[in-house]
Amino acid sequence: MFFTSQSNTPASTVTRRLTAMHVIGLTAIAAAAIISTWLVRAELTRQEIETEVIASANRQAAIGSEIGAIAGAMGMQSGLALDLKDELGNLRSEFGALQLVLDATDNDVISSPTSPVQPAFVGLVLSAERILDGDTSPEQLDDLGRRAELFRSYMELTTAEFADTTRARVKDLKRVQLSLLQLTLLLLVIEGLVLFRPAAKRIRAGLAAQQERHEQERDKDQQRLTYLSQFDPLTGLANRALLHDRLAQALERAKRDDDMVAVILIDLDQFSLVNERLGQDRGDDLLKLTAQRIDGSIRSSDTTARSGGNEFTVVVEGITSTQHAGRIAEKILDSIAQPITGKGQAPSLTATAGIAVYPEDGDGVDDLLQGADLAMYTAKSLGGGNYRYFTHELRARTSSRLRLIDALRVAVDARTPFQLVYQPKIRIDDQQILGVEALIRWKDSKLGDVPPARFIPHAEETGLIIPLGDWVLEEACQQAKAWHDASHDLSVAVNIAARQFRAPDLLGTVSGVLERTGLPPHLLELELTESTLVDDVVKARRTLHDIRKLGVKVSIDDFGTGYSSLSYLKGLPLDALKIDRSFIKDAISQPEDAAIVNAIIQIAHSLKLKVIAEGVETTEQLELVATMGCDSFQGYLLSKPVPPEVVPGVVSGSLPPLRAVS
């Protein structure tokens, strides 16, 4: 400060007083700066936590919306249980992480007795678990949809409350900062101050810079929240919500300009196997690569969205015809199927597409998306790797398909509409019956006799093949045990589907059935298709070794139709292979098929495998495979599949004897 000293005051005293006052002023200014800095840092720390809470709440709201969408879609589509399970796991993880953050800050916005968030979360989880446990009734699906919407609303409300609290506190902080700045300025004025002026400038500049950084961070967080609400965080593509919005806008423009719009739904083929073999991280890399390839195949004005786990949707405006949309789909599928370069395993990807076009196939967002979905599933049923257009006949066929699947679910739960019939297998050299193959039949009260070729694919698609296959295994083993107790030592062969074979508890299932039924293991034979084994030969080899250790036999069914090489047989622990009936049928008239049958028999024998010819219907066919050295056969020449009570009559020789084969 500036002082006017008395004439009788020594100069040293004045200097000391000036120094003391400068020190006091500096201390006061420093204290004001420290307090301001502490308040800002505390506020920034708190806002970092609240930003994390807001982001988590928004993610959970998006997950709730996704669960609601799945609940709505499960009424029209099948195979969404895994998507629901994944989303439920994501929700639990996010909610648990959010609760840990709030507990660490002593914030009870969720755990408070008056908060509706916790009960809404619990209700949503319980409703979803009931669906995963098998209750997919319309009422349960509606309940899940309502609870998902309620949970989403509460989480959005939580986000708004946190944002309001933050804004109010920022206003208070600004007022405190203003007061501290005013105090600092007052001290500077009182000091007169040349010494403190630079320091004051630095303090003000520092506070202004901190405030500016804080505002910039808040703007970035807001932009991030906006981005997450509209875009997929993995691929950067539009998400389902933004897809609906852009498609609606595209349709408005098309209606105004009398134009056409195409919706192309793309689904990666067998992508679940990629995740199983290579892991989730590699799967995510391939999804990002697929997104880039799709985006590179269309115009920048078109929209690409990730509409599901491995599903992508493209909206193309201004097409000139339905065929024009088909050419775009071909370009996209060709781009996805291009070889993948890079380190590590790089599987080739293929995809299947469905196309719906405005105005031919519908004039609304939902109509076009559902139409493209139906077309895509039709293409999948034809083997995948292709595309199909939506037709109104598809919708009718889909309704029939859904009725069949619903009836199948009821039948699998009840078990009673199913029965097993058995087709004997006979040894060629002495015409002794070795065993039987168990085959399933379904007679529905409304649908009548439903052939296996019609309902088995749907059972595999929906996952019902696992409980159905378990029932077949148990029923066949019980019957074989009854024959064994009656002194008929007939082995029973049971077909194992690919999803059953890949299930982690297959070994426990087989050993459990053998233990419950008391069937000697050597009287059970499991039949697997080639494609089931070649999907993952290393894993298949381990599983087959474990099954063989139980004493159970293993054979390959329908051999020759699923794979082009016999090399994978080497090293697999097998007992027999069955030549597919299509080769046997044409072996008499087609020398090429006869040569294939002969080659299979010779190679199988070199690998110490028994060979069974399927579908033998004539003595000429039997004589041919016998001369080639085939060990056994089954087919209508011996017997059609028969009920279990008829089998002992076949064994006892009550059927007409076969003509001897030289």
Side-chain angles (χ1 to χ4, degrees), residues 15 63-64 196 207 210 296 339 362 486 517-518 539 555 601:
T15 301
I63 293 172
F196 293 151
L207 291 174
Q210 286 182 342
T517 60
K539 184 178 179 181
S555 62
I601 293 173

Side-chain angles (χ1 to χ4, degrees), residues 140-437:
Q140 185 59 40
L141 293 174
D142 289 342
D143 177 72
L144 177 60
R146 289 193 299 271
R147 291 183 181 278
E149 179 64 22
L150 182 63
F151 178 77
R152 181 191 63 78
S153 300
Y154 284 149
M155 294 312 293
E156 290 178 347
L157 180 61
T158 299
T159 301
E161 289 175 354
F162 266 89
D164 291 341
T165 301
T166 301
R167 283 192 291 270
R169 197 170 56 254
V170 168
K171 290 181 180 179
D172 292 339
L173 177 61
K174 288 181 178 179
R175 285 195 292 270
V176 172
Q177 288 178 311
L178 181 60
S179 299
L180 291 171
L181 286 173
Q182 290 173 342
L183 175 61
T184 302
L185 290 173
L186 179 61
L187 290 171
L188 291 174
V189 170
I190 293 173
E191 284 286 334
L193 238 203
V194 175
L195 289 174
F196 293 151
R197 189 175 300 157
K201 287 182 179 180
R202 285 194 298 272
I203 292 173
R204 286 195 298 272
L207 291 174
Q210 286 182 342
Q211 185 65 27
E212 183 179 359
R213 285 195 300 270
H214 174 63
E215 294 295 337
Q216 290 175 349
E217 289 174 358
R218 285 187 57 80
D219 290 343
K220 288 180 180 178
D221 288 339
Q222 187 59 47
Q223 292 172 3
R224 178 63 176 168
L225 291 176
T226 302
Y227 178 85
L228 290 174
S229 68
Q230 296 180 335
F231 293 90
D232 173 51
L234 177 64
T235 62
L237 300 177
N239 62 13
R240 190 191 302 270
L242 186 56
L243 168 67
H244 279 246
D245 182 64
R246 289 189 178 177
L247 179 54
Q249 294 179 29
L251 292 178
E252 288 298 323
R253 288 190 290 269
K255 292 173 184 177
R256 181 189 64 217
D257 301 334
D258 193 22
D259 214 340
M260 299 178 72
V261 177
V263 175
I264 305 173
L265 180 64
I266 302 148
D267 184 89
L268 295 179
D269 297 329
Q270 297 183 330
F271 190 74
S272 60
L273 296 179
V274 174
N275 282 333
E276 288 178 9
R277 296 179 191 173
L278 306 182
Q280 189 74 40
D281 290 342
R282 182 59 172 149
D284 288 347
D285 290 341
L286 293 175
L287 287 175
K288 288 186 282 189
L289 176 62
T290 300
Q292 294 169 3
R293 289 183 170 183
I294 295 175
D295 239 5
S297 303
I298 60 175
R299 301 169 303 184
S300 59
S301 58
D302 298 325
T303 295
T304 305
R306 185 186 178 200
S307 48
N310 57 299
E311 282 189 356
F312 300 86
T313 302
V314 176
V315 177
V316 185
E317 299 183 60
I319 62 169
T320 57
S321 65
T322 301
Q323 290 72 26
H324 185 186
R327 291 193 294 273
I328 296 173
E330 286 180 357
K331 183 179 179 182
I332 292 172
L333 297 183
D334 288 344
S335 176
I336 293 173
Q338 291 301 307
I340 299 173
T341 59
K343 296 181 179 179
Q345 293 175 297
S348 297
L349 292 177
T350 61
T352 301
I355 304 172
V357 176
Y358 167 85
E360 296 178 8
D361 303 327
D363 58 2
V365 171
D366 291 338
D367 288 341
L368 292 172
L369 290 175
Q370 291 174 7
D373 189 60
L374 291 176
M376 186 273 291
Y377 274 105
T378 300
K380 283 277 189 186
S381 68
L382 298 175
N386 58 82
Y387 68 90
R388 285 293 180 272
Y389 298 104
F390 169 80
T391 64
H392 292 286
E393 291 77 13
L394 269 182
R395 199 178 298 278
R397 288 207 303 270
T398 300
S399 297
S400 174
R401 170 179 168 272
L402 291 176
R403 285 195 299 271
L404 177 63
I405 291 175
D406 288 341
L408 182 60
R409 292 186 190 278
V410 173
V412 169
D413 288 338
R415 304 288 199 275
T416 50
F418 297 105
Q419 68 174 36
L420 295 185
V421 293
Y422 300 87
Q423 186 171 38
K425 294 185 291 185
I426 189 169
R427 192 163 51 214
I428 292 179
D429 57 2
D430 58 5
Q431 297 188 10
Q432 292 296 310
I433 294 178
L434 302 174
V436 294
E437 178 183 0

Side-chain angles (χ1 to χ4, degrees), residues 89-122:
N90 292 338
L91 181 61
R92 282 174 164 156
S93 176
E94 285 285 354
F95 195 86
L98 175 60
Q99 209 156 21
L100 289 175
V101 172
L102 294 176
D103 290 345
T105 58
D106 294 327
N107 193 315
D108 65 346
V109 68
I110 287 179
S111 58
S112 169
T114 61
S115 171
V117 175
Q118 186 84 20
F121 170 78
V122 173

